[in-house]
Each structure stands twice: as structure tokens, then as C-alpha cells.
Amino acid sequence: MQWTWNRGLILVVVAVTWTGAVRAQEQEAEVDNCRVCHSVLDDERLGGPARAFTGDIHAARGLGCADCHGGDRTLAGFEGMDPAKGFVGRPGKLQVATFCGRCHSDAAFMRQFNPSLRVDQVAEYSTSVHGRRLAELGDTAVAVCTSCHPAHAIKPPSDAASSVHPLNVAETCGACHADAEHMAGYQIPTNQLERYRRSVHWAMMTDGGDLSAPTCNDCHGNHGAAPPGFSWVGNVCGQCHSVIADHFAQSRHAKTFALLGNPGCATCHGNHEILRARPELLGLGEGAVCGQCHVAQDAGGTTATTMRGRLDSLRAAYGGADSLLLRAEHAGMEVSQARFELQGALNALVQARAAVHTFNPARVAAYVDEGLDVTAAAHQKGVEALGDLRFRRTGLGVSVTIILALIVGLVIKIRQAER
Ligand code: HEC
Ligand code: HEC
Ligand code: HEC
Ligand code: HEC
Ligand code: HEC
Ligand code: HEC
Ligand code: HEC
Ligand code: HEC
Ligand code: HEC
């Protein structure tokens, strides 16, 4: 029994040592000569790729130079870079999509690494303005895969250092779209990056830390980057602003704007420099959007003024109730419940502002009235709290006077007794 145990142990030890040796041998055979040689080349064009490659997702998944460039990595000399061994060298801009697509369009191959990864990048890209101009016009100023994913430092979008991480996308697109020289031959503006950086969306993403706010690719698509068609623009905004988009879709404007070729939401809010919606946006005054197309005499104009008036009345009522409750609170009165209830008016205001997009004053009025009921109740509680305070103060005044009078009386009494 003892003997068999020992023999078994020895066998296991031998087996482990042997497989270890084989592994080491295999690793030796797997030395990536492409990487070894290129890493020590001083010329940045030749050595740079190998040095950058350490942080690349392909390196992290065990892929090497030859998996993209072809050739034989087991050979230590230049003969590894023999076209006869499948070596491709540096792909030109026209070849890059097929170069990357060899793997990324191959569902069976990609599944071995990451089954959830999409395999339609090349297909999508070929429908984009970028892909079409490249294929149809040979326009090499457009973006190819490696314009957005730097060839030897490719990282997944979730990596903060990735060129396609949400916080870095704008810069990546801006490298061309904000470069007037690069875009000189085209009839499109180069202010998208600059304007986007002034938008509420960018502020939300950076200061607000909300990575779900949109950047370039959320509106334009990652690989199908195309100028959104007019009907599509509304859909893009509606992905996130769904209540407002539903209101708008049912409104008279939706159809009319489509007929007139106005770009849906962007007609009033712009596309890149979308700002917080201020009250002044509604109505016919300065900074209002309705005045672009309506005058005081038409139905649109009167609706604009009516809705603005209603919203203003709720905002004013909310402001009044809020400051009353604050005053009571600062004076030490217990009004936290009333302040909590007042939040209901803010919710009503949000819904009323969204309902502006129905362009139906009755819909706006319904929410405003709801909000006004809440503010009235809160206001009443504020008035009562301050009334209580006044009562307490008067009471306090009276008792203080009485106490003072008593003290004075007492002092007089003591003096009299002393005398
Ligand atoms: C012994 C060193 C060495 C090895 C091994 C080596 N290379 Fe090179 N490689 C070079 C040098 C030097 C050049 C520049 C050749 C030239 O400019 O003609 C080069 C050029 C290249 C280029 C640029 C070609 C172009 O069109 O500009 C690529 C891509 C490349 N190598 C990839 C590889 C791959 C992939 C492997 C492995 C299969 C590999 N190299 C193996 C030294 C090496
Ligand atoms: C994911 C695919 C991929 C891998 C892996 C890869 N390359 Fe490249 N490489 C490219 C592409 C694509 C280009 C063309 C340049 C571009 O489009 O920016 C390129 C260009 C080059 C060039 C020419 C650079 C120039 O500016 O002319 C060299 C040299 C090179 N690669 C070497 C390597 C070496 C060495 C490795 C391994 C350390 C490697 N590559 C791994 C895709 C890859
Ligand atoms: C030899 C096959 C192959 C080639 C060629 C190739 N890739 Fe990859 N790529 C992969 C594999 C495998 C992964 C890892 C997928 C994973 O595990 O998530 C990957 C990952 C990626 C990722 C990160 C995906 C993610 O979200 O995880 C990007 C981006 C990418 N590749 C872009 C490119 C580009 C651009 C090119 C062309 C320059 C290219 N690839 C060429 C095989 C390849
Ligand atoms: C105009 C810029 C641009 C071009 C060109 C581009 N990509 Fe991308 N790519 C992106 C962005 C942005 C993301 C990030 C998507 C996200 O946040 O989910 C991305 C993501 C990816 C991913 C991760 C998986 C996915 O689909 O989200 C892969 C793989 C990829 N790209 C491969 C490619 C290949 C291959 C090409 C060339 C056919 C290419 N890309 C061309 C911008 C680009
Ligand atoms: C390598 C440079 C380059 C990069 C990087 C780049 N683009 Fe482009 N893009 C172009 C060029 C050039 C055109 C063609 C302009 C034209 O036809 O008017 C274009 C066209 C477009 C168009 C169509 C414009 C129109 O109305 O004709 C859109 C939309 C677009 N790009 C969005 C993007 C987005 C989004 C990104 C980043 C995810 C991006 N681009 C990255 C160069 C680039
Ligand atoms: C909130 C959505 C949104 C975001 C974010 C966004 N765009 Fe746009 N972009 C649009 C819309 C909508 C249009 C179409 C305008 C029209 O048709 O009137 C457009 C048009 C364009 C055009 C065509 C030329 C032009 O200026 O009209 C380019 C190029 C472009 N965008 C690039 C970018 C780049 C680069 C970024 C990031 C810095 C970006 N966009 C961010 C929605 C967006
Ligand atoms: C005809 C002009 C017009 C159009 C078209 C329009 N809006 Fe508005 N939008 C306004 C006005 C005016 C306000 C300001 C209401 C207020 O606060 O008094 C506003 C406010 C907003 C707000 C802020 C309100 C809130 O609840 O946060 C958002 C978000 C918004 N719009 C998104 C959209 C979206 C998405 C679309 C397209 C589906 C769209 N808008 C179409 C005029 C328009
Ligand atoms: C990917 C999601 C997403 C897309 C797409 C999107 N937005 Fe936004 N938007 C947000 C977020 C998140 C905020 C910040 C919310 C907040 O602070 O109330 C915001 C804020 C706004 C605001 C300011 C709201 C306010 O309270 O004043 C307006 C106006 C707006 N977006 C309009 C648009 C328009 C128009 C489009 C399409 C061209 C669009 N958005 C596309 C997510 C999106
Ligand atoms: C880009 C031009 C444009 C802008 C901006 C615009 N409208 Fe209109 N609006 C129209 C047109 C055109 C019609 C006529 C639609 C029809 O008769 O089918 C219309 C119709 C209306 C109607 C219906 C009138 C009726 O006869 O029943 C109302 C209400 C209205 N708009 C309100 C507004 C308000 C409020 C704003 C600002 C938030 C606004 N509009 C901004 C173009 C515009």
C-alpha cells in the first residue's frame, strides 16, 4: 500500500517536471522575433509600433505582429518578413478595413475570444460617409479604422486611455473635423468640437461625470458615421429624451418640419452646442425660438405667449413658496415636511416643460395647475409657520417683560429690606 503511494507520487512529480520542460521549450519556440527585433530599432517608424504594442488589446489577448502583418515570427532574421510567408507590411488606407476585417468580420474566430463582441464594424463602416468616399472616390482624407483606433495602441472603449473611450471620442473625431487644413477641400464647418465642448451634454459628461450623455458617436454612430437624415435626427435625441420625443412626434410641427426640411429637435436646440433650456426660449421675446416662424397674431404666436405665461406663473409661485419656507426654516421653525412636499411642484414643472413639445397649451396648463396646487399648499404652511413664529415671539416678549418687571420689583424689595 505504502509502496504504491510512493510510486504514484514519484510518477506525478516526473510528469509535472516533464510537462514544465515541454512548456518552456514551447515558449522558446513562441518567441516573437518580430517584436524582439522591432523593439530595439531606434527609428520611431519601425521601433515605435513594437514599443507601443505592450498596451494593446491584441497583445493582451496573445496576438502578435504576424497575426496582423503576416510573415513568420519564428525566424530571427529578415526572412520572416517574406511576402511568400504571407507578410503584408504596411497596409495602405484602402486596405485597412479588410486588413482588420479579416478577424473582426469573422464571427467564428472572434467568438473564441469574446462572444459578445459585434462583428459588423467593417459592414457598417462601408455604409458610412467615410467608407463610401474611400471606396467610391478613393478619398484618403476620411477616417479609416486606424484613424480612430491607433494601430498599435488599440484599447477597448471601456479603457479610460482608449481613443474611443466616451471622454476621448470628441478629440479623436476632432483630430480631423476641427482641423481646418485637413478639411479644407470640403464644404462643411469645422466647429463641431468647439461647439460640442460648450454644450450641456459635454458638461454633463465631464463635470457631471455622466458617461451616458452623448458624444459624437452616440449621435452619429461608431462605424456608420453619416450625416443623420432629418427624420433620423429626431430618433437620435429621442433615444434619451423619450418623453419629449413622444410629445413632439404627435405634434403638428413634426410633420410640418419634415416637409419643410427642418431638422426636428435641432431646429430649436441646435445640434452641437445644445445648451440648457432657459425660460426665454419659449415665447416671442429676445432669445425665443418661436418668433423665428410665428408672429403675435398667429395661432403659434399666441400659444407661445400663453404657455410661457403659464410656466412663468408656476416658476414664480414655486420661488415664492420656496423662499417663504426657507425664511421659516432659518428662523428655526420645523418645515421640512412642507419643503419635501414642495418638490412635487418641481416635478410638475419638469412635466409642463416637456409638454411644451406638444405645442398644446391645455396640456401645459394641466401640469401647471397641478404644480400650483402644490405651491399653494406649501405657501400656506409657510404662512402658518411664520404666524406661529410671530405668536411665539409676542409670547416671549410678554414673558420677558413680566420676568424683568418681577426682577426689578425683587431688587427694589431687597434694597428696601437692606435699608
Ligand atoms: C531582424 C530584425 C527584424 C525582424 C525579425 C522583423 N523585422 Fe520587420 N523590419 C525590420 C526592419 C529593419 C525593417 C525596415 C525594412 C525596410 O525599411 O526596408 C522592417 C520593416 C517592417 C515593417 C514595415 C514595412 C513597410 O512596408 O514599411 C513591418 C510592418 C514589419 N517590419 C513587420 C514585421 C513582422 C510582422 C515581423 C515578424 C514576422 C518582422 N517585421 C520581423 C526588422 C525586422
Ligand atoms: C491589430 C493589427 C496590427 C498589429 C497586431 C500590428 N500592426 Fe503594425 N500596422 C498595422 C496597421 C493597420 C498599420 C498601418 C499604419 C496605420 O494605418 O496607421 C501598421 C503599420 C506598421 C508599421 C509601419 C509604420 C509606418 O508608419 O510606416 C510597422 C513598422 C509595423 N506596423 C510594425 C509592427 C510590429 C513590429 C508589430 C508587433 C509589435 C505590429 N506592427 C503589430 C496593424 C497592426
Ligand atoms: C488577427 C485577428 C485580428 C486582427 C487582424 C485585428 N483584430 Fe482587433 N481584436 C482581435 C481580438 C481577438 C480582439 C480581442 C477581443 C476581446 O477579447 O474582447 C480584438 C480586439 C479589438 C478591439 C477592442 C474590442 C473590445 O471592445 O474589446 C478593437 C477596438 C480592435 N480589436 C480593433 C482592431 C482594428 C482597428 C484592427 C485593424 C487595424 C484590428 N482590430 C485587427 C483580433 C484581431
Ligand atoms: C470614425 C471613427 C471610427 C472608425 C473609422 C472605426 N471605428 Fe471602431 N469604434 C469607434 C468608436 C467611437 C467605438 C466605441 C464604441 C462604443 O463606445 O461602444 C468603436 C468601437 C470598435 C470596436 C469595439 C466593438 C464595437 O463595435 O463597439 C471594434 C472591434 C472596432 N471599433 C473595430 C473597428 C474596425 C475594424 C474598423 C474599420 C472597419 C473601425 N473600428 C473603424 C470609432 C471608429
Ligand atoms: C482621418 C480624419 C477623420 C476622422 C478621424 C473622422 N472623420 Fe468624419 N469625415 C472626414 C472627412 C474627410 C469627411 C468627408 C467630408 C465631406 O464629405 O463633407 C468626413 C465626413 C464625416 C461626416 C459626414 C459629414 C457631411 O455632412 O458630409 C460625419 C457625420 C462625420 N465625418 C463624423 C465623424 C465622427 C463622428 C468621427 C469620430 C467618431 C469622425 N467623423 C472622424 C474625416 C475624418
Ligand atoms: C447630440 C447629438 C450630436 C452630437 C453629440 C454630435 N453631433 Fe454632429 N450632428 C448632429 C446633427 C443632428 C447633425 C445634422 C445637422 C443638420 O442636418 O442640420 C450633425 C452634423 C454633423 C456634421 C456635418 C456638418 C455639420 O456641422 O453640420 C459633422 C461633420 C458632425 N456633425 C460631426 C460631429 C463631431 C465631430 C462631433 C463630436 C465632437 C459631433 N458631431 C457631435 C448631432 C450631433
Ligand atoms: C419648436 C421648438 C422646439 C423643438 C422643435 C423642440 N424643442 Fe425642446 N424646448 C423648446 C423650448 C421653448 C423649451 C423650453 C421650455 C421651458 O423651459 O420653458 C424646450 C425645452 C427642452 C428641454 C428641457 C426641458 C426639460 O424637461 O429638461 C429638453 C430636454 C428638450 N427641449 C429636448 C427636445 C427634444 C429631444 C426635441 C426633439 C424631440 C425638442 N426638444 C424639440 C423648444 C423646442
Ligand atoms: C445618449 C443620450 C442623449 C442623447 C442622444 C441626447 N441627449 Fe440631450 N441630454 C442627455 C443628458 C444625460 C442630459 C442632461 C440631463 C439633465 O441635466 O437634465 C441632456 C440634456 C439636454 C438638454 C438640456 C436640458 C435642460 O434641463 O435644460 C437639452 C435641451 C437636450 N439635452 C437636447 C438634446 C437634443 C436636441 C438631442 C439630439 C440632437 C439630444 N439632447 C440628444 C442625454 C442625451
Ligand atoms: C421653423 C419654424 C417654426 C418654429 C421655430 C416654430 N413653429 Fe410653430 N409652426 C410652424 C409651422 C410652419 C406651423 C404650421 C403647421 C400647419 O399648419 O400644419 C406651425 C404651427 C404651430 C401651431 C399650431 C397652429 C395652428 O394653427 O393650430 C402652434 C400652436 C405652434 N406652431 C406653436 C409654436 C411654438 C410654441 C413654438 C416655439 C416653441 C413654435 N411653434 C416654433 C413653424 C414653426
Side-chain angles (χ1 to χ4, degrees):
M1 197 60 187
Q2 187 66 27
W3 182 84
T4 12
W5 235 104
N6 278 346
R7 204 171 63 157
L9 201 67
I10 290 164
L11 274 178
V12 168
V13 170
V14 169
V16 167
T17 326
W18 185 70
T19 37
V22 168
R23 283 235 184 85
Q25 246 174 359
E26 267 170 11
Q27 263 164 15
E28 194 114 325
E30 266 176 25
V31 160
D32 188 341
N33 286 299
C34 322
R35 248 177 119 171
V36 170
C37 179
H38 274 268
S39 297
V40 297
L41 295 177
D42 283 337
D43 183 344
E44 201 40 38
R45 188 182 84 84
L46 299 171
R51 289 187 281 271
F53 198 55
T54 40
D56 190 290
I57 175 84
H58 300 95
R61 292 291 183 271
L63 298 173
C65 318
D67 289 304
C68 277
H69 287 287
D72 187 346
R73 78 186 83 189
T74 61
L75 303 174
F78 290 142
E79 64 278 16
M81 299 186 289
D82 183 350
K85 297 191 166 66
F87 182 69
V88 193
R90 184 190 205 283
K93 284 212 160 191
L94 283 160
Q95 285 97 47
V96 170
T98 25
F99 188 84
C100 308
R102 193 166 54 78
C103 299
H104 282 283
S105 303
D106 182 342
F109 176 82
M110 292 308 295
R111 211 178 295 124
Q112 303 169 330
F113 294 87
N114 182 350
S116 67
L117 204 63
R118 299 171 57 158
V119 286
D120 60 357
Q121 294 89 8
V122 176
E124 285 252 291
Y125 172 77
S126 62
T127 67
S128 74
V129 170
H130 295 143
R132 288 216 326 269
R133 289 190 68 92
L134 184 72
E136 291 161 19
L137 306 170
D139 181 351
T140 53
V142 299
V144 297
C145 312
T146 47
S147 315
C148 299
H149 306 282
H152 305 99
I154 297 178
K155 296 177 171 64
S158 55
D159 187 325
S162 170
S163 56
V164 293
H165 180 271
L167 285 173
N168 302 331
V169 166
E171 189 100 20
T172 299
C173 308
C176 296
H177 282 284
D179 179 350
E181 209 173 296
H182 187 90
M183 299 304 290
Y186 305 94
Q187 308 300 315
I188 59 172
T190 49
N191 58 8
Q192 297 91 5
L193 177 63
E194 179 198 341
R195 304 199 61 160
Y196 170 69
R197 287 232 167 112
R198 289 198 291 260
S199 74
V200 58
H201 291 139
W202 175 246
M204 209 56 209
M205 194 170 330
T206 48
D207 305 337
D210 178 1
L211 295 185
S212 71
T215 180
C216 318
N217 61 319
D218 294 296
C219 293
H220 292 287
N222 307 327
H223 301 111
F230 291 149
S231 59
W232 192 58
V233 178
N235 297 345
V236 161
C237 313
Q239 268 175 21
C240 305
H241 302 285
S242 56
V243 173
I244 292 180
D246 286 347
H247 285 328
F248 182 68
Q250 286 159 24
S251 79
R252 192 112 161 222
H253 280 145
K255 286 176 218 77
T256 319
F257 280 17
L259 285 175
L260 295 174
N262 291 328
C265 315
T267 309
C268 297
H269 293 287
N271 47 30
H272 298 121
E273 194 175 351
I274 293 174
L275 302 176
R276 282 226 168 272
R278 292 168 305 113
E280 293 75 31
L281 213 55
L282 182 62
L284 297 170
E286 203 177 316
V289 282
C290 319
Q292 287 169 23
C293 306
H294 295 290
V295 291
Q297 289 77 25
D298 70 21
T302 44
T303 303
T305 335
T306 313
M307 293 198 299
R308 170 71 184 280
R310 301 294 288 154
L311 287 172
D312 281 351
S313 70
L314 180 53
R315 279 189 270 254
Y318 173 82
D322 189 44
S323 60
L324 196 68
L325 289 176
L326 259 175
R327 240 170 63 208
E329 192 178 79
H330 286 163
M333 302 303 285
E334 169 51 41
V335 289
S336 57
Q337 179 61 24
R339 295 206 67 195
F340 175 74
E341 282 162 17
L342 187 58
Q343 290 300 311
L346 270 192
N347 294 342
L349 181 60
V350 167
Q351 286 174 307
R353 292 172 74 209
V356 165
H357 299 85
T358 63
F359 306 98
N360 177 350
R363 297 284 296 275
V364 173
Y367 289 117
V368 168
D369 290 343
E370 214 174 273
L372 286 176
D373 287 346
V374 177
T375 52
H379 194 271
Q380 182 57 33
K381 286 193 174 152
V383 169
E384 281 164 14
L386 287 175
D388 275 359
L389 181 66
R390 223 166 290 125
F391 181 75
R392 283 190 207 169
R393 275 186 182 153
T394 324
L396 188 70
V398 171
S399 27
V400 165
T401 319
I402 293 172
I403 291 167
L404 277 178
L406 281 175
I407 292 174
V408 170
L410 213 65
V411 169
I412 293 172
K413 258 274 180 275
I414 292 170
R415 291 240 172 107
Q416 278 174 349
E418 277 174 356
R419 261 187 234 134

